[in-house]
Amino acid sequence: MFTRVCKEDTIFEGGIRVVIAGSHIVILAWPENGAIKAFQGVCPHTNQPLAEADFDGTVLTCPVHAWTWDMNTGEAIHPKESALAEYPVKIEDGVVYVDTESVSPLFAAR
Ligand code: FES
């Protein structure tokens, strides 16, 4: 089930925004030359919210221990250990919706 999370015009290409969808913290990312994506908004390392993460337009960096992810895919860059879970996104009439129902956040083994 899709949950309304924000208006489309509150996120910009090259930017990120943290929103709540149901009981999930979600980070919306709009990579440069890409599309709006939604990933888990907590770090797989320690469950730290990623609200203060740095985003250079492609790479998201956790502010705590600097793990990094490609926000086009959620794949881990460094370390390679743990990707970010990706949620389905749809945009209708200028509103962003995220479906968290069948996706759970991923966590690192260590
Ligand atoms: S808490 Fe995010 S890298 Fe350690």
Side-chain angles (χ1 to χ4, degrees):
M1 186 179 75
F2 280 91
T3 301
R4 175 187 176 125
V5 293
C6 67
K7 289 186 175 178
E8 183 182 12
D9 63 6
T10 62
I11 181 166
F12 301 93
E13 185 172 356
I16 55 174
R17 177 172 178 190
V18 172
V19 296
I20 302 295
S23 61
H24 294 242
I25 300 174
V26 173
I27 188 162
L28 297 176
W30 187 349
E32 291 169 358
N33 302 311
I36 296 175
K37 300 288 187 107
F39 299 98
Q40 70 185 68
V42 294
C43 182
H45 188 202
T46 68
N47 208 18
Q48 171 85 15
L50 290 167
E52 303 298 325
D54 181 66
F55 185 52
D56 71 359
T58 303
V59 176
L60 186 80
T61 303
C62 178
V64 183
H65 306 106
W67 286 18
T68 52
W69 301 270
D70 183 332
M71 295 306 272
N72 287 291
T73 62
E75 288 299 309
I77 298 171
H78 180 79
K80 288 289 185 191
E81 183 166 339
S82 189
L84 299 177
E86 182 172 359
Y87 301 105
V89 175
K90 72 175 181 181
I91 299 171
E92 285 181 359
D93 299 326
V95 176
V96 180
Y97 297 84
V98 174
D99 181 4
T100 57
E101 203 164 80
S102 57
V103 180
S104 297
L106 303 172
F107 294 101
R110 58 181 166 140

